Structure formats: C-alpha cells, structure tokens
Amino acid sequence: MDSNNKVFQFMEKYLMGPMGKLSQFRIVRGVMAAGMASIPFTIVGSMFLVLNILPDTFPALKGFFDATFFKFSDLYMLANTCTMGILSLYFGLVFGYEYTKIQAQEEKISVNPLNGALLSMFAFFLCLPELVVKGGSLKLVNSITSTETVVNGFRMGATIDRLGTSGIFTAIIMSILAVKLYCLCVKRNWIIKMPETVPAGVSRSFTALIPTFVIVLVVLLINGTLVALGTDIFKMISIPFSFVTNLASSWLGVMVIYFLIHALWIVGIHGATIITSFLTPIVLANMEANQAGGNIPFAGEFNNMFVTVGGSGATLGMVIFITLFAKSTQLKTLGKAAIVPSIFNINEPIIFGMPMVYNPYLAVPFFLAPMVAASIGYFAIKLHMVHAVVAQVPWPSPVGLSGFIGTGGDWRGAVLGIVTALAATVIYYPFIKFYDAKLYKEEQEKGAELAAEATEAATN
C-alpha cells in the first residue's frame, strides 16, 4: 500500500497540480466553451452526411436513394456545408465572446462580449484571402484551374476553404489577438465615450470604433509583412498545429492522450474535460478529412464510440458484471444505481462511488482498459477493417449505435464498439473479482462483529 500511496502522491504533485492550473487558464476555458458550443452544429451536419453516404455502405439502397433522397441532396447537404464547412467561424465567435467575458470579469474592465466576438470574427476574416507579391505589389490570388479555384484571394471548396476545420486554430489565435487589443484600448482609455443618454447599442458601436481600427492596422501589418516573406498568418499558424495534429493522431499520441485523461481522473480531476478541450479542433479536422476520403482513426467521437464505452475508464462491462454477479452489497447496490447512466457513457457514480479515484485495486485496469480499447479501435480503422469516422454523434449514444452512425452506417463500426467494450471487460474481470471478494469479506466480518455485539448486549 505504501508504494501505491507514493504513486498517487507523485501523480498528485506532478500531474494534478500543473493540470489543475492549466484548466483555469483563460484561453483553455474559452476553448472549452467554443468546443461545447460547436457540438450541436457538428452533430446536425453529420446526420445529413450519414443520410447521403448510406448507399456506399449498403449498395442495395442506391436505386431507392437515386429515386428519392438524392433528388434533393444539394438542398439538404447545405446543412452539412453550413456546419462543418464553416466550423472555424463558430469557434472563433464563441471563443471571442467567452474570452472577452472572462477578461471583463477577472480584469474588471468594461469590455462587451458581443463586441469581442465580432472583433474576433473580423480579425479572422482578414486572414482568409491569399495574397502574393507580383511585380513589386501585393496582389490577391486569382487562379481557376482543374485542380483549384481561387477568386479574389478566396480559395473555394464547398465554401471558402479556410472557414472549415482547418481554420479553427487560426480563428482561436486571431480571437486572442483581437480581444487582447480590444482590452488594451479600453484599459488605456483609447475609446470614444458617448453620453449616458445615448442608447446602449449606439454607445457600444462607438466604444469599439478605435479598437477596430487598431486591430485592422495590426493584423494587416503582420499579414503584409508575412506575405512579403512568402507566407501569411494562416499558413504560419497552421505549421505548428499541423505537427500537433499529426502527433495526436498517431497511435503513440493516442496512447499518451488516454494515459493523461485517466491519470487525471485517478487523482480526482475531470481529465476528459481538460484534455478533450484541446483535442476538439483536431478530431473535427480529422473527421472532415475522412469525409473527403481520408482514413484517420482518431476523429469525431472515436473516444465515446470505441474507447470510453460506459464512461471514462471504459467501465460499462464492469458495471454490468457487478450488477449481476457481485457478492458484496456495496458493489451490487452501486451497479444497480450506475447501470442506466453507464449505458449512456455517464459514469461519475462509478468514478466517485466505487470509487475509482485513489483506488489502488482498480487503478491498473482503469488505465489499461481504455488504452487497449483505443488500440483495437485505432488499428481496426487504420487497417481498413472498419470505415473511418465520418459523422459526429452525441457522446451519450449507446455502444453499437454510436459506432454504426459515426462510421456512416458501417455495421462493422457497431461490432467494433462491442468488441472494444468486451476487451475492456476482460481486463477488469480479475481486478474487480478480487476487489469484490475483499469487500464481501469485510462486510461478512463487519456483520459478524455487529452480531457478536448484539448478542453480548442482549446477554448483559
């Protein structure tokens, strides 16, 4: 037990402390809010995409779809284009709003979150057009060929190319810049103040006038300099984040991610919330790449579809086991209370009720089960045994159903989810069996003690 305590103390000192501080950073909280706000758009857009690609999985449906749904596909696929196709716009707006609100509350300055959101969008839009140096002048790129369409600097796909998931990191960085400049102007009193009798909407627009001018000057100066050097803001930002995306999407990167998530959980911090807030832009970009024909395993809701089935730690199978077969009253009662939430990937009752937190008896499978499940899911997709994730599904979706929908209607995705859940259950079995026996023995001994005390009291 002493060695286990030392491990927990080490994790608490070198992991819980730094990650706890990291989760309180203003930028991290803004990114978390933007990721949560994007969920409805990605789910709704993905549902229409699934409808459009079902005949690829079930060829027998093609004739029916050609005669019905596909006659209107250009109409209903606008739902996908206007969600996944412009996701960086949603991200930038929400991040700008939340980040400005946090600045206003914690810096005690009079900045308006709506102004912050609009200024963030403005700064991001300034980065969208592509320019080149031609004949000693800066010119907007115009190129229409069989492989690309760039009109007045805007590279076109289904929408403006840079508005998609590839622009999320640029949107975040430009939102930070815009909000910081906005706050600086307000702090230095570089604003136009209107009399109190002026309506709030009019006053707000004049308050943002000078910050808007400062932002446009700074962004244009930076971008103009970079274009003269043969690049631009968008390309500069995409380089380091492309490296991070590739690293996080590798098998080794996925293993590190799930180790960190569960290392935080084991010492009482909601690891999924902290780590996945950084991963949301990456998995969404990967999902869009899969929609274009890619085969990246770590995309969309890969986590809840194939890894943390039943919640963090991949505990669904274990919960079913203790509900049906546990000898100890504690585990059997806990299982009955947790079984329904676990089906929908909610397992806080298990995390804190069993508990998993600071539990040396279950720490090993709590780490190992999701890492094994992630490995099975990763290589099943990597080796083309299962279609890659192309659609976002609600994270509480039950195992099997989530895999079927997320892979665009591939029945093997449903099977893969069940297989990973069974693999996690096998890993838990010897540990939970031992833990259950230990608790049952303690309950029996406690019951015997109470019975002895009752007998002694009755005799006296």
Side-chain angles (χ1 to χ4, degrees):
M1 290 296 291
D2 288 340
S3 61
N4 286 322
N5 287 335
K6 288 180 181 179
V7 170
F8 288 131
Q9 289 170 6
F10 176 85
M11 292 172 66
E12 195 168 39
K13 181 178 180 180
Y14 293 103
L15 193 65
M16 181 180 177
M19 284 295 182
K21 292 178 182 177
L22 181 65
S23 68
Q24 295 306 308
F25 283 2
R26 296 170 184 175
I27 292 173
V28 174
R29 284 147 60 195
V31 171
M32 288 168 63
M36 292 297 292
S38 70
I39 289 174
F41 300 101
T42 57
I43 291 175
V44 170
S46 294
M47 293 303 99
F48 286 93
L49 177 68
V50 170
L51 178 65
N52 220 42
I53 63 177
L54 268 178
D56 294 338
T57 307
F58 301 101
L61 295 176
K62 191 174 187 312
F64 173 73
F65 271 63
D66 285 340
T68 54
F69 293 112
F70 286 168
K71 290 182 178 293
F72 310 100
S73 63
D74 284 352
L75 173 63
Y76 65 70
M77 280 302 289
L78 289 175
N80 182 264
T81 301
C82 295
T83 50
M84 294 299 298
I86 57 172
L87 197 59
S88 60
L89 177 58
Y90 299 121
F91 245 85
L93 276 170
V94 177
F95 178 86
Y97 183 92
E98 292 291 335
Y99 193 51
T100 306
K101 186 167 71 172
I102 292 169
Q103 296 281 351
Q105 292 170 348
E106 299 184 5
E107 295 286 338
K108 308 298 182 185
I109 54 177
S110 182
V111 288
N112 185 279
L114 181 58
N115 279 348
L118 294 175
L119 290 170
S120 298
M121 182 176 67
F122 173 57
F124 175 52
F125 271 33
L126 289 171
C127 302
L128 296 182
E130 297 180 34
L131 296 100
V132 291
V133 178
K134 183 180 287 187
S137 302
L138 292 177
K139 300 286 187 181
L140 290 169
V141 175
N142 280 281
S143 174
I144 300 178
T145 67
S146 59
T147 58
E148 66 175 10
T149 301
V150 188
V151 180
N152 292 330
F154 292 100
R155 187 173 296 274
M156 305 301 296
T159 61
I160 297 171
D161 192 51
R162 290 182 170 184
L163 283 177
T165 54
S166 62
I168 290 177
F169 288 115
T170 303
I172 292 172
I173 299 298
M174 297 314 297
S175 295
I176 295 171
L177 176 63
V179 172
K180 287 291 187 183
L181 290 174
Y182 176 32
C183 293
L184 176 65
C185 290
V186 173
K187 283 182 179 178
R188 298 292 179 87
N189 213 26
W190 300 342
I191 56 174
I192 298 173
K193 290 185 176 179
M194 302 298 288
E196 292 184 2
T197 55
V198 175
V202 177
S203 179
R204 187 166 58 241
S205 65
F206 276 92
T207 301
L209 186 60
I210 293 177
T212 303
F213 191 70
V214 171
I215 289 168
V216 72
L217 281 180
V218 170
V219 175
L220 289 181
L221 179 62
I222 295 172
N223 209 30
T225 303
L226 291 174
V227 171
L229 295 173
T231 183
D232 60 28
I233 291 177
F234 193 96
K235 293 174 184 174
M236 284 288 290
I237 291 174
S238 69
I239 291 172
F241 286 108
S242 293
F243 172 77
V244 173
T245 298
N246 292 334
L247 184 64
S249 300
S250 67
W251 175 78
L252 181 60
V254 170
M255 291 299 98
V256 171
I257 286 167
Y258 284 106
F259 176 82
L260 289 175
I261 288 174
H262 293 87
L264 290 170
W265 263 125
I266 208 73
V267 290
I269 293 181
H270 201 306
T273 298
I274 295 174
I275 302 300
T276 55
S277 65
F278 295 102
L279 298 175
T280 299
I282 293 174
V283 296
L284 291 177
N286 288 348
M287 186 173 71
E288 188 178 45
N290 288 343
Q291 292 171 2
N295 188 56
I296 305 172
F298 193 58
E301 276 295 339
F302 175 86
N303 178 51
N304 290 303
M305 290 161 56
F306 305 126
V307 185
T308 57
V309 176
S312 293
T315 57
L316 178 60
M318 184 199 68
V319 172
I320 294 172
F321 174 81
I322 63 174
T323 303
L324 299 176
F325 305 111
K327 292 182 179 180
S328 69
T329 303
Q330 176 183 329
L331 290 189
K332 186 172 283 291
T333 303
L334 180 62
K336 290 176 181 178
I339 184 68
V340 174
S342 290
I343 292 171
F344 299 99
N345 298 327
I346 300 168
N347 72 339
E348 275 75 6
I350 291 295
I351 296 285
F352 298 106
M354 184 164 275
M356 291 293 191
V357 175
Y358 290 109
N359 189 333
Y361 298 99
L362 297 175
V364 171
F366 189 70
F367 279 101
L368 190 59
M371 294 175 75
V372 169
S375 298
I376 294 171
Y378 182 94
F379 287 109
I381 294 172
K382 193 73 174 176
L383 298 175
H384 298 276
M385 297 167 67
V386 177
H387 287 171
V389 179
V390 294
Q392 188 80 335
V393 295
W395 65 265
S397 300
V399 62
L401 177 63
S402 58
F404 178 77
I405 296 174
T407 55
D410 184 359
W411 63 270
R412 295 170 300 178
V415 173
L416 177 60
I418 295 170
V419 167
T420 57
L422 289 173
T425 305
V426 170
I427 291 169
Y428 271 106
Y429 179 76
F431 295 92
I432 196 64
K433 189 80 172 171
F434 175 81
Y435 189 54
D436 179 45
K438 173 183 175 294
L439 293 179
Y440 180 70
K441 181 180 179 182
E442 290 175 354
E443 288 173 358
Q444 294 295 104
E445 291 174 350
K446 186 68 174 177
E449 288 177 10
L450 292 174
E453 290 174 1
T455 302
E456 184 178 347
T459 302
N460 295 334

